Amino acid sequence: MKNENTLRWLLPLLVAVANLFVGSLVAYSLYESHQLQAQRALVQTQNLATILEQNLTEKLRSIDLALRSGRDEFERQQAAPAGIDGDQLDHFLTRLQERLPELDGLRMTDADGLIRYGQGIHRPTAARLADRDYFACVRDGDKTRRCIGQPVKSRVTGNWIAALSYRLEDRRGQFAGMIYATIRIAELTRLFSELEMGAHGSLILRDSQARLLTRYPEIAGPAGEVGNAKVSPEFRAALASGRSSGSYVAAQTSDDVTRTYTYKRLPEVDWIVVAGLAEDEYLAPWYEQRDRYIAFALLFLAASLFAVRMVYDYWQQQIKAAEALRQARDTADAANRAKSQFLAVMSHELRTPLNGVLGMAQILMMANITEAERIDYARTINHSGQSLQTLLNDILDLSKIEAGRMELQVADFAPEQLLQETARLFAEAAGNKGLTITVDRPQLPFSSYRSDPLRLRQILINLVNNAVKFTERGEIRLQVRHDETLGILRFEVSDSGIGIPPEKQAELFQPFSQVDDSFTRRYGGTGLGLAISRNLLQLMGGDIAVASQPGHGASFTFTLPAQAGATAVPNKTASELAPASVASAATADCILLVDDNKINRKVVRTLLGKHGFRVREAEDGAQALALLAEDDFSLVLMDCQMPVMDGYTATRLLRQREAELRQPRLPVIALTAAAFENDREHCAAAGMDDFLSKPVVVEELLAAIERWQP
């Protein structure tokens, strides 16, 4: 009896304890599952917002390029003796608009706001935009300012539009009107409709004042009207934080649907994309799981002591399942980071070889090209395309580094040639910032060495690219030395840039590492290049280090085993080196083209050749002076930023030699990527007679030659 009584109260107690245990387990599992579903929804909204931001940014960049091209054409016609050709300008703007189907219009106004030029414009026109906010913005701003208008209905087409505009100026720098592009709001809505966000999801675009530009799917009533600025308190609070992106959950929405949102500000314009997923949709699996758990708990109330054991087993299984879910989530996060790293590296590295493709493609579009020339230009494009393909394959191979499956392609290479090629690659970018890239002539015991030249070039490109990016004035220096004691080659890339704080230097070679947030915002970059460089160097038996002080530049040094090449021969000493000679083939009416970039020389040489000029070439100022001493030329086209000897120094030495020998003054025209007024003054101070900026405009080039060639 005693045992039975004990059983009577013990059994309910055990069942109660078991039910309490199971109830707690169910609540915990539901909480974990709820958090997992919410996290997945948050990641999905972040991906949707990122895709929208990238798509819109690309479209806006294309529109901005069209606006700048139209402005340049306006200035070119205005500078011409005949002045503005309205029909030609209409045709030019129409062709630009046809390439951008998302535009409602691409037009120009005069200083009074009357629409004068563009597709479908028949002068004179009574359409007047002086009251538009973007017209007032460009009228009161400067030439570089891009203005964005509030969403309005177009007076020309009647469509809802958002306008981007730039200021136009006459020859005296006075306000002459504006060029503007109107984007169809409906086109943006179509772009949004291509994304999958569920039956009750929401994709929204608002301006900086939270006014609605477009929404998909559309909703009826005032909340869905363009220009409506009524938003949820959660979104208003997120904007007030000042962050460029963020996520939040809002229940007080315009259609009373609770959603998880992610917003991102576009970097090019002050617009905001918002992507939202409906809570009822992304939690639908969790609701089903919740119902199943409740049913299970109700059934468990009638269970016996045997059920307690079953619950215990179930609990063990749930613990394992929860752990498996966490491990799966961690694995997915790691895979996502790896994917992001791969995409960032590929974007970072692919752009440079496009220069050869695009440059030769433009020449191929010219008239009067012989078959032999066409084959030559096509071969150049093919070579550049092959380089792009090779680079893409190599970037994909970088994923093998972590797996230990990377295979090096060992071959002979000339260190000095490698440095010179890298310097020429960045000469124009450095020139645009007023920087000088110098390659110190090395004293190496052998003519060639063995390693993986493709990986070395990739490392040097990354280091020089960083040096140009983080240097505002001064120079960038490349050098290589042979350390006989250690048996290594020591490459060094140094600059006079912003420098790196000591506490940040240890983090530089970690993936995604940046010096600090302010540098990231100002200079950009993925933070992957130095980490990849260190991995490659260690794979080749070397390493990399940095020495820097804030405000005093940085010096990156990397080492490699100094293995002589299979075809290496001992180099001559400095006293044995003789200056290279150049065969004389110029005549008195020949033009001397001086530029360290091979592609630039080929473009200018081809342009001049098509117009009947004979051209000889020099890669730097020293070669140019040697040619000028041997032969007669009618004119010199001089680049300014070059290795060995820049154009300024070469011109000063030429003027000095002319004075000493009482020779007539030879016209020198600066042909440079620098385009600021102080650059023009620098050229004049060096003794140059005229100034042309790159990219080359053939009409301006021919006009300058006609002015100065006797």
Side-chain angles (χ1 to χ4, degrees), residues 95 178 268 393 653:
R95 286 191 294 112
M178 72 173 176
E268 301 290 337
N393 292 335
L653 292 176

Side-chain angles (χ1 to χ4, degrees), residues 371-386:
E371 185 63 22
E373 290 173 329
R374 193 181 307 278
I375 293 174
D376 180 40
Y377 303 154
R379 185 179 294 111
T380 301
I381 292 175
N382 182 59
H383 175 73
S384 298
Q386 290 175 347

